[in-house]
Amino acid sequence: MNKTKTAMITVCGRPNVGKSSLTNALVGEKIAIVSNKPQTTRNRIYGVVNRGGTQYVLLDTPGLHKPRSRLGDYMVKVVRESLSDVECALLLVEPIAHVGEPERVLLQEEHLPCVLCINKIDTVEKKEALLEVIAAYSEAYDGFDAIIPISARTGDGLDDLMAQLAKYAQEGPQLFPDGMTTDQADSQVCAEIVREKMLRCLDKEIPHGTAVEVTRFSEREDSGIIDLDVTIYCEKASHKGIIIGKGGEMLKRISSLARRDIEKFMGTKVYMETWVKVKENWRDNVNFIRSQGYNEE
């Protein structure tokens, strides 16, 4: 069915509120990595949702935070740029009756139609608590087009959200072909999946000091099997030892978990070789950041 309308929607909010989980839930497959650590998403990711005659393009952005490196500066810039040329901003928050400074700044500075989404309602025991959250945000900003409680995990409220987003659809050509769920190259999705597994398996700061590059991505003509060479960059030799683990156990675990998800995403068998290299202070190395696809222009 040809799409005659499109809606560009930016999904924004502070780290860990569930932006990537919501994007994945609406798209219907995993295109953005998810972890319980902040600043998991570093780049802007387009998720494509086709419903009826409308194509919704969701821009999943890095979390609103105070930058501490050149990479952090870039991530904040991505959020700002994602709010230009879109029909609507979807501000995702947790069910806590307190409006933080990043949210206040965003609401005061951006003059866009804005939908407030209160995520994780499956964790709220009493409905009164939800009413307190709605009251706190309504007091901070009286210009929300709608306030919609949802759970990206269970799917509660997502139909209501899509009905609201339909109001922002504009007449226009289909931006992405049918069947395309993200603008990310397959190799980029694979690299992000490896990074997600590191975020899940490793403690504290180490995963945030890592970058992942797919240096070979080739499909065998006879069988469709995909061969991947993956390099993990970290900032310290001590981190390299932790990522590899005793007898290579940690690296095997990360690679095995990643390969399983990559095979699901690609729909075919994957052979993957993984290396770990030290690249000191790469998060403040502009040339390296650009080589990893985080273009500042």
Side-chain angles (χ1 to χ4, degrees), residues 16-239:
N16 275 15
V17 293
K19 297 181 297 295
S20 296
S21 297
L22 176 60
T23 301
N24 290 341
L26 293 176
V27 168
E29 71 175 67
K30 183 177 195 160
I31 59 151
I33 68 171
V34 177
S35 92
N36 60 3
K37 294 186 173 73
Q39 296 168 40
T40 300
T41 301
R42 287 177 176 165
N43 228 324
R44 177 172 54 206
I45 296 166
Y46 290 98
V48 184
V49 182
N50 293 314
R51 298 276 171 96
T54 303
Q55 184 167 83
Y56 302 87
V57 181
L58 306 173
L59 285 70
D60 178 19
T61 59
L64 298 165
H65 69 286
K66 191 172 181 179
R68 293 185 188 148
S69 65
R70 289 300 291 266
L71 177 63
D73 290 337
Y74 167 80
M75 288 158 65
V76 170
K77 190 164 174 267
V78 166
V79 179
R80 288 266 178 251
E81 289 176 353
S82 297
L83 290 165
S84 60
D85 301 324
V86 296
E87 273 75 52
C88 163
L90 193 162
L91 177 60
L92 201 63
V93 301
E94 290 187 298
I96 298 167
H98 170 72
V99 183
E101 196 56 30
E103 289 86 356
R104 283 186 194 280
V105 170
L106 186 78
L107 291 168
Q108 285 161 10
E109 289 186 8
E110 303 300 336
H111 305 288
L112 265 176
C114 187
V115 174
L116 178 69
C117 255
I118 303 168
N119 192 21
K120 306 182 184 179
I121 58 168
D122 50 304
T123 64
V124 177
E125 289 178 14
K126 294 179 180 174
K127 286 287 185 284
E128 297 81 45
L130 205 52
L131 294 174
E132 288 170 15
V133 180
I134 293 170
Y137 276 91
S138 299
E139 190 181 328
Y141 182 70
D142 60 4
F144 291 115
D145 283 9
I147 297 176
I148 303 173
I150 65 158
S151 168
R153 193 177 68 81
T154 66
D156 271 8
L158 296 191
D159 287 342
D160 293 339
L161 175 58
M162 290 307 295
Q164 178 64 33
L165 297 184
K167 296 177 183 177
Y168 305 106
Q170 307 282 326
E171 296 288 337
Q174 188 169 328
L175 299 173
F176 293 93
D178 288 344
M180 187 171 176
T181 56
T182 178
D183 69 324
Q184 293 188 102
D186 289 344
S187 59
Q188 190 182 355
V189 176
C190 294
E192 285 288 273
I193 288 172
V194 173
R195 197 163 65 83
E196 176 190 63
K197 301 314 171 191
M198 284 196 292
L199 284 160
R200 294 241 169 135
C201 294
L202 297 168
D203 285 335
K204 297 171 188 166
E205 253 307 294
I206 292 169
H208 293 301
T210 59
V212 180
E213 183 178 18
V214 173
T215 51
R216 180 167 71 119
F217 183 101
S218 59
E219 190 173 341
R220 300 184 197 176
E221 282 184 23
D222 54 341
S223 60
I225 290 170
I226 288 169
D227 291 298
L228 285 182
D229 285 355
V230 176
T231 302
I232 296 168
Y233 296 97
C234 59
E235 291 184 310
K236 297 177 182 174
S238 58
H239 289 178

